[in-house]
Amino acid sequence: MSLRVEALSVSMPGGPVLSGVSLALNRGEIVGLTGSSGAGKSVIADAIAGALPAGAVLSGRITIDGAAAGHGSIALAPQLLGALDPLARVGTQIDRFARLAGRRVDLHSALADVGLPQGAARKFPHELSGGMARRVLLATALATGAEWIVADEPTVGLDDEAAGRIMSLLAELAASGRGVIVISHDLIRLAEIASHILIMHDGQPVETAPASAFMATEQRLHHAFSRALWQAQPGTRFTC
Ligand SMILES: Nc1ncnc2c1ncn2[C@@H]1O[C@H](COP(=O)(O)OP(=O)(O)OP(=O)(O)O)[C@@H](O)[C@H]1O
C-alpha cells in the first residue's frame, strides 16, 4: 500500500551529502519535499528513483508494500530540462521511455494527459517553452507506467499560471491512484496539494509536517527553520 524510505543516507565521492531521511507515501497521496538549496532534495529524488550517479553510496531501505523497490517501479521527472534528448522529437522520447519499460504508449493520450497539444509530438526540445518541456518530462515519467512518480522541481522557471497548471496536474495524478513526491521551493503551492511536507536543511531532515500545519495560525510547525521557510514565502501571514 505504500512507498517507504527508511534511514536513507547517501555519500558521494567527495563525502556524505545526505543522512537519516525517512518518509512514507501511500498511493493516491502527495508528499512534498522542500528546504534550502543544496539540502539534498534532488539526491533524495535520485536515490528513490534508482538514478544516483556512479560512485554514490546509498544506505537505508526503499520499499514498496514491504519489498525492496524494484527497477522501474518509481519514475523520475528530473529537475534539469537537459535531461531531454536534444536530438529526438518529443513523441520519440515519450515512446522510448515506454519501450524501455516494456510498454507501448498511446502518444495521443500521453500528450493529452499532461495537457500538451498533439503538435508537441513532432517538436524538438529547443522548440518547447519551459512549461511544455516540464510537461514532456512528466510525460516521459508517466509513459513508464510507474505507479510512483517523483517530480523534482517541476515548476521552476515557470510563470504563476503555468506553475499552477503543473501542480494541478500532479494533484490529478495522485487522485488517479499514483503516489507522488513533489520537490519544490514553492511551499505555498506544495501545501495546497500535499498531505505531508518533509523539510530538509544541509543534508538532514528538519521536520515532517502535515500540510495543514503551514496554513494554521497557531504554532504547529515544531522547528524554527520550518517556520522561517514558511514566513519567507510571499504573502504568508503565519505568526510565531
Ligand atoms: N553527482 C554529485 N557528486 C557530488 N556531489 C553531489 C552530486 N550531486 C549532488 N551533490 C551534492 O549533494 C548536495 C545536495 O545536492 P542536491 O542537488 O540534492 O540539492 P537540492 O536540495 O536539490 O538543491 P536545489 O534546491 O538547489 O536544487 C550538494 O552539496 C551537492 O553539491
Side-chain angles (χ1 to χ4, degrees):
M1 296 292 285
S2 67
L3 185 158
R4 285 183 183 276
V5 176
E6 295 166 86
L8 173 68
S9 296
V10 175
S11 285
M12 297 291 183
V17 293
L18 193 70
S19 67
V21 174
S22 295
L23 63 85
L25 170 67
N26 294 313
R27 289 181 175 83
E29 192 177 53
I30 295 178
V31 166
L33 194 43
T34 194
S36 50
S37 250
K41 302 180 297 296
S42 291
V43 172
I44 295 173
D46 292 349
I48 292 174
L52 283 171
V57 178
L58 176 157
S59 66
R61 273 164 52 86
I62 300 168
T63 56
I64 294 174
D65 301 338
H71 178 69
S73 49
I74 305 167
L76 174 66
Q79 177 182 3
L80 299 177
L81 299 181
L84 292 172
D85 179 349
L87 302 177
R89 295 182 196 274
V90 164
T92 305
Q93 300 201 43
I94 294 172
D95 191 54
R96 188 183 290 164
F97 272 78
R99 284 173 191 271
L100 282 170
R103 306 176 78 231
R104 297 193 74 107
V105 72
D106 171 2
L107 207 48
H108 190 278
S109 308
L111 292 168
D113 285 350
V114 296
L116 281 168
Q118 294 303 309
R122 295 204 51 75
K123 290 189 185 291
F124 288 95
H126 73 272
E127 297 176 297
L128 304 172
S129 70
M132 291 174 82
R134 295 262 160 230
R135 283 168 183 266
V136 173
L137 285 170
L138 268 179
T140 58
L142 293 176
T144 66
E147 286 187 289
W148 306 93
I149 305 290
V150 183
D152 189 355
E153 301 213 20
T155 62
V156 74
L158 302 189
D159 66 43
D160 206 47
E161 193 188 339
R165 281 202 302 263
I166 291 270
M167 287 302 205
S168 299
L169 170 61
L170 293 166
E172 283 164 25
L173 291 175
S176 74
R178 292 183 179 87
V180 184
I181 295 173
V182 183
I183 298 174
S184 179
H185 291 280
D186 186 344
L187 194 40
I188 293 176
R189 283 215 165 86
L190 213 49
E192 284 169 2
I193 63 168
S195 58
H196 285 77
I197 296 178
L198 167 62
I199 297 146
M200 293 290 301
H201 181 55
D202 201 16
Q204 310 276 343
V206 170
E207 175 171 6
T208 300
S212 57
F214 291 89
M215 305 299 191
T217 49
E218 75 222 66
Q219 194 167 324
R220 286 179 57 202
L221 294 170
H222 298 299
H223 202 286
F225 179 77
S226 312
R227 293 195 290 272
L229 210 57
W230 178 246
Q231 288 189 313
Q233 300 286 310
T236 53
R237 297 184 303 279
F238 191 82
T239 51
C240 58

